[in-house]
Amino acid sequence: MVTPILRCPTSLNHHRLFSSSPPNPLVFDPTDKRAPPPLFSAVPSAASRPIRSESSFYFGTHLIPHPKKIDKGGEDAFFVSNYNGGVLAVADGVSGWAERNVDPALFSQELIMNASHLVEDEEVNYDPQILLRKAHAATSSIGSAAIIVAMLEKSGILKVASVGDCGLKVVREGQAIFSMPPQEHYFDCPYQLSSEIITQTYRDAMVCNLELLEGDTIVMGSDGLFDNVYDHEIVSTISRYKDVAEAAKVLGNLASYHSKDSSFDSPYSMEARSRGFDVPLWKKLLGMKLTGGKLDDITVIVGKVVNS
């Protein structure tokens, strides 16, 4: 049984960090003070081994940059960790900063790097909301990002904190039984942690605790995934592909394909029409409507709960 507890906003041993460049992954130990600062990397897909505990994640990942941002690597960043039952995080840099000649990727990358360093911090106490607070406070780059963090207890309790429109879904026995709702100021303007003085903070996070069962699968990602792929497509993919790395890759590629299809009636175009955004009246009179996917960076993490 899934038992969500939502609080509305009030105003690794091994860690792996990924953005979208350079091409080779780097696994590092954040406790080794002699080690150089971690590099960011992107891998098409990856899988981890489950740790020996009561409940843990076996996870796969996939990242596809925006078609126009491949050279610079896109603006999403994420990390996965085997610490405790498993920690997953995705940050989506806000592209509007490019209009101010600021690279939107820098903030999301540093935010994720800081979060990965702080996972085992005593003050964090394995609480994703506190992790957001400390990671945000430690980030000095200019910019902003939506972010979601999920931390699995060995008891099977998944603790989630999210600011913005990165998403998480739980799939159990062929059904999507839970979805983390997005937070936004208005259509296409999500809540975000920012370098600005006036910004959302960890206090604005949507917080949720879920009781997961062995065999449950979570699908977490940036809005580039959920704006382009429907729940039934996610469920179908999870049911068909038992390997989490392969499932993550298929979902990422499906989102990328839909995002480039101007005739596809995507979750994004449906939501846009429901908010009053549509084609001109004369096109409506001809039976036309706003359609198409949304070009964006796409990050996918698929985590399956296993018991040892």
Side-chain angles (χ1 to χ4, degrees):
M1 177 180 180
V2 171
T3 311
I5 305 171
L6 298 177
R7 297 205 299 272
C8 295
T10 57
S11 12
L12 281 190
N13 16 30
H14 270 117
H15 306 285
R16 298 182 184 179
L17 282 82
F18 306 92
S19 66
S20 33
S21 64
N24 296 319
L26 172 68
V27 180
F28 68 95
D29 181 359
T31 64
D32 184 359
K33 300 186 181 300
R34 298 169 300 173
L39 298 175
F40 290 89
S41 63
V43 291
S45 59
S48 75
R49 296 179 180 178
I51 60 175
R52 296 176 182 275
S53 64
E54 294 182 5
S55 291
S56 60
F57 277 136
Y58 185 78
F59 47 75
T61 66
H62 197 65
L63 186 153
I64 303 175
H66 187 293
K68 294 183 179 180
K69 303 174 184 177
I70 293 176
D71 291 343
K72 61 172 286 186
E75 295 153 4
D76 283 0
F78 70 95
F79 83 85
V80 292
S81 167
N82 282 327
Y83 182 66
N84 205 334
V87 183
L88 318 173
V90 176
D92 181 354
V94 176
S95 60
W97 284 93
E99 299 174 4
R100 306 189 198 181
N101 295 318
V102 173
D103 183 354
L106 297 180
F107 186 91
S108 59
Q109 289 177 355
E110 187 184 356
L111 183 65
I112 283 293
M113 181 182 69
N114 289 333
S116 74
H117 279 296
L118 291 163
V119 164
E120 300 180 51
D121 185 88
E122 290 185 3
E123 291 184 9
V124 169
N125 195 31
Y126 210 63
D127 184 323
Q129 193 172 23
I130 298 176
L131 182 61
L132 289 182
R133 174 176 64 82
K134 299 201 69 174
H136 187 199
T139 301
S140 60
S141 295
I142 297 174
S144 59
I147 183 170
I148 186 169
V149 177
M151 309 177 89
L152 182 65
E153 297 274 11
K154 293 180 180 180
S155 63
I157 299 298
L158 181 69
K159 302 187 290 188
V160 186
S162 175
V163 176
D165 59 357
C166 294
L168 179 148
K169 297 183 184 293
V170 178
V171 178
R172 176 181 296 167
E173 298 180 349
Q175 291 186 321
I177 61 170
F178 176 80
S179 294
M180 197 74 176
Q183 298 170 298
E184 57 183 12
H185 299 285
Y186 48 85
F187 180 66
D188 229 11
C189 182
Y191 280 24
Q192 53 205 265
L193 300 182
S194 172
S195 59
E196 301 281 81
I197 295 176
I198 300 177
T199 176
Q200 278 75 61
T201 72
Y202 73 100
R203 296 180 184 274
D204 298 294
M206 182 75 73
V207 178
C208 180
N209 290 348
L210 307 171
E211 182 180 0
L212 299 184
L213 304 178
E214 184 175 19
D216 285 353
T217 301
I218 72 162
V219 178
M220 194 165 87
S222 58
D223 63 336
L225 169 65
F226 300 108
D227 281 343
N228 291 298
V229 180
Y230 285 99
D231 281 7
H232 70 85
E233 295 176 302
I234 291 174
V235 170
S236 175
T237 300
I238 295 303
S239 299
R240 181 177 179 183
Y241 297 92
K242 303 305 180 184
D243 179 77
V244 288
E246 186 67 16
K249 181 178 180 180
V250 170
L251 285 173
N253 289 340
L254 180 62
S256 179
Y257 177 79
H258 284 334
S259 73
K260 302 170 186 175
D261 185 353
S262 61
S263 64
F264 177 60
D265 198 7
S266 65
Y268 179 79
S269 60
M270 287 188 65
E271 180 66 16
R273 293 198 307 271
S274 73
R275 301 291 189 92
F277 298 91
D278 209 337
V279 296
L281 179 59
W282 68 269
K283 287 189 176 182
K284 286 186 178 182
L285 295 176
L286 295 176
M288 301 172 69
K289 63 181 180 181
L290 179 69
T291 59
K294 181 189 178 187
L295 290 172
D296 204 347
D297 300 317
I298 298 164
T299 297
V300 185
I301 302 176
V302 175
K304 188 167 186 177
V305 180
V306 294
N307 289 344
S308 59

